[in-house]
Amino acid sequence: MTSTLAIVVSLVLLMYLAYRGITVLLLAPLMAALAVLLSGDIAFFLPIYTETFMSALSGYVLQFLPIFLLGALFGQLMADSGAAHSISRWIVDRLGDEHAILTVVLACSVLTYGGVSLFVVAFAIYPIAIDLFRTADIPKRLVPASIALGSFTFTMTALPGTPAIQNAIPIPYYGTNVFAAPGLGIIASAIMLGGGLWWLRSRAAAARLKGEGYGQHTEAKILGAQPDENNSAMSHMPLVLAILPLILVIGVNGLFTYFIFPNIDLSFLTEKFPSVSPAKMTGLWSLIVALVVACAILVISRLGHWSNLKETINKGVFGFMLPLFNTASEVGYGAVIAGLAGFAIIRDAVLNVAPSNPLISQAVAMNVLAGITGSSSGGLSIALQTLGSDYLRMAQEAGISPELMHRVAVMAAGGFDTLPHCGAIITLLAICKLTHKQSYLNIAAVTMAIPLIALISVIALGTMFGSF
């Protein structure tokens, strides 16, 4: 009982202090240490840190470093080449001011589904969004929710093939790939997109009836948010070249996932790397190859047009470190918690939420941990690190496809991760120069309430019809 209470106290403090803005890099080891001390395992304090916390942290870094690095680099290349700006402006020109909300959501969706970092997308789309909303006389307070709907929801967790890190994390645990349960993913995406647009449009209509308008706001230029129109790479990126890297990320990934790797006998790898399971790793390998190809094509296609290619590459490479080590620290924290005696009580309680249907139990676990950590990738990583083997066993016993488990896990992690203390939400509001009071209710509606409906729908359909 004491150990369980120690875990709860450390979790509450982790959530509260993260909300107050203290970095998880420091919080994770400190809160893990606090849980160990309160549980009475002080004699094992240092070995738990060096052998458990650091082993889990380094293992996560070893496994997912290429995805984080290549994803951050690709996002920076898309931003600095002008590709992101060209795509978003093309969508704006086609849909116009009268469809301001739809335009912002689709622009964010195309970029994030193509592999551009959601933070890069937020910076790139914000200046366009405020121009559209001001012209259409839609309240600015709806801008963050519009960006969040296009960036933080279906393109991150549901659309098959999305290169988001959240969609890659379950691969080594379930032996799946980023296209897991494509039919269910598309249905969930339609629910999130349709429901989110309905909500935002209804809020805009209600504001119009009240005569609210855009509001009085002093707009300041966001550093790095707007492209420099004097830069030829930014101003004249042809649409075909701009969208080609996004197509390659999805296309090359699918090519290697479904055609190349399945038709190669990889058994020879086990002779030199006996711990490697090709069946569980080809999903990650496919994504790595796709990101490398997309980055290379983007660089080559714009040779002679980069303002400072070296600076762009350095900025992209340096940019992956904080997100990676934040998540890895949370994984280390989860490993320490999982090793405490009190965790057995929590684990059994979660696993017994719906013992006959691990989809429900898994959804609860992912949502809770993502909510506590304020991070979909962090919560998902902790849950799978500690409970992944249990869920795979339960799924096999219940005859549930690992692909269905994969999709439900990712979607569930993208639910309560956007509670007020979420770092991505805090950053988004800072970019938009708005407060939680002004915008959070609408963000919560499109990133938590409606995705929860989509998640329940997928669980129900998956339970009745299986994975498809």
Side-chain angles (χ1 to χ4, degrees), residues 66-68 70-71 74 163 168 171 178 245-258 260-261 264 266 281-298:
I67 306 299
F68 276 89
L70 292 169
F74 179 67
I171 292 174
V178 293
L246 306 186
I247 296 173
L248 286 172
V249 169
I250 306 301
V252 173
N253 194 349
L255 180 66
F256 275 83
T257 297
Y258 290 111
I260 295 181
F261 282 137
I264 298 177
L266 299 174
M281 295 304 295
T282 51
L284 283 178
W285 293 343
S286 298
L287 184 53
I288 290 171
V289 172
L291 288 170
V292 168
V293 170
C295 287
I297 293 298
L298 188 52

Side-chain angles (χ1 to χ4, degrees), residues 143 151 169 190 254 261 283 329 345 432 438:
V143 169
S151 305
I169 289 173
F261 282 137
S329 293
I345 299 174
C432 297
Q438 292 171 304

